[in-house]
Amino acid sequence: MTRAEEMDWETAAAAFAWQFDLGATEAICDGPVNRYELEVAVPKAAPVVAAPAVLAEVDPVAEATALAAAARDLDALREAMAGFSHCELKQGARNTVFCDGHPGARVMIVGEAPGRDEDAAGRPFVGRAGQLLDRMFAAIGLSRETPDAEHAIYITNVMPWRPPQNRDPDAREIAMMKPFLARHVELVQPELLVVVGNCSADAVLGQRGITRLRGKWGQGFGLPVMPMCHPAYLLRNPAAKREAWADLLEVRARL
Ligand code: URA
């Protein structure tokens, strides 16, 4: 018989059909096979797949709280924040924006999150909103540049990393960064806090609705807190500057 590999496909199919018609029930090789001499093929054991390690659930707030508590000074706190990896915003940021101003200041200002300019510079409030913030506080005799603690301000943000498209940090992100902010306030020990914008009011006072809250003293982290509209909002709504001036006078009177 012609060997199968010498046939074309049609011939092989016809030969197979013919054998099938004759009653063939199995294919045999050209030579005899002694099946007793064949090694018994032991079915291969299925590869042992290691059970997935049960990943310990990480609680970012608990971790932030422990890291913040362990920070003995501002440098240690800055380092702890820069090394904190549970906030996804860090991935898209160029810098960890920690603070600016005098660490012995009586007034500590809490902003929201860095924008493009702050992300590039690694300092809070250096863009247009920041320049307005500087002018506002200069109007009541306070500055971030002065070495005189009596007339100085200290500036930080709730969030040290720039959010994409300058979106607001969400509730989860605020919650995980709040322990760092609490420790930051504890280490600086200002006499009072000024929070600018909703996100900062949320983190410090636990409340939103800055246009309603502004101008009324609240309490946060054990300190008096003056909520104010964010300078970026004042740039867009110049009419609100009048109220901001009243809020600044409140701060000056309290000092
Ligand atoms: N807005 C903020 O709230 N913080 C900054 O640092 C810059 C803009």
Side-chain angles (χ1 to χ4, degrees):
M1 177 190 266
T2 328
R3 292 170 61 84
E5 59 265 32
E6 291 163 6
M7 299 178 196
D8 60 27
W9 185 87
E10 272 92 359
T11 313
F16 177 72
W18 179 67
Q19 290 189 27
F20 189 75
D21 288 344
L22 289 178
T25 54
E26 62 181 342
I28 55 167
C29 307
D30 287 346
V33 176
N34 183 350
R35 295 193 181 272
Y36 290 105
E37 287 175 357
L38 291 180
E39 273 182 32
V40 180
V42 179
K44 277 195 191 153
V48 179
V49 179
V54 181
L55 292 174
E57 278 272 309
V58 177
D59 176 350
V61 177
E63 196 161 314
T65 305
L67 285 169
R72 294 280 135 242
D73 55 28
L74 290 172
D75 285 342
L77 185 66
R78 180 198 292 264
E79 219 172 285
M81 284 173 77
F84 183 71
S85 55
H86 298 298
C87 182
E88 278 146 26
L89 296 183
K90 183 179 170 187
Q91 258 103 66
R94 285 207 253 169
N95 275 302
T96 299
V97 176
F98 184 66
C99 75
D100 202 9
H102 197 309
R106 299 171 71 192
V107 178
M108 180 166 175
I109 299 166
V110 181
E112 301 190 318
R116 193 190 52 199
D117 296 329
E118 292 77 17
D119 183 39
R123 290 168 59 214
F125 283 106
V126 295
R128 273 187 74 221
Q131 287 155 23
L132 175 58
L133 186 89
D134 283 340
R135 288 199 299 278
M136 287 162 62
F137 282 87
I140 56 165
L142 302 178
S143 141
R144 69 166 105 183
E145 309 291 352
T146 179
D148 170 13
E150 189 64 24
H151 298 106
I153 49 176
Y154 182 86
I155 309 174
T156 193
N157 283 314
V158 173
M159 177 56 62
W161 300 293
R162 181 192 182 193
Q165 277 87 48
N166 295 338
R167 69 157 169 81
D168 286 345
D170 65 27
R172 198 176 144 271
E173 291 159 349
I174 295 175
M176 73 174 85
M177 298 316 290
K178 191 170 156 174
F180 291 113
L181 179 61
R183 184 71 182 136
H184 206 156
V185 172
E186 221 168 54
L187 290 169
V188 173
Q189 290 188 298
E191 282 174 37
L192 59 89
L193 299 173
V194 175
V195 296
V196 293
N198 258 324
C199 162
S200 330
D202 188 351
V204 177
L205 297 167
Q207 294 181 71
R208 285 187 167 255
I210 195 69
T211 48
R212 176 177 44 85
L213 295 170
R214 60 139 288 276
K216 299 183 212 81
W217 288 101
Q219 277 280 316
F221 302 135
L223 293 171
V225 180
M226 173 53 67
M228 291 182 62
C229 287
H230 195 283
Y233 173 85
L234 300 177
L235 286 172
R236 294 192 302 272
N237 302 276
K241 285 184 183 168
R242 193 189 169 92
E243 293 169 344
W245 175 238
D247 303 346
L248 287 167
L249 291 179
E250 271 293 328
V251 171
R252 188 168 72 178
R254 184 106 187 198
L255 289 172

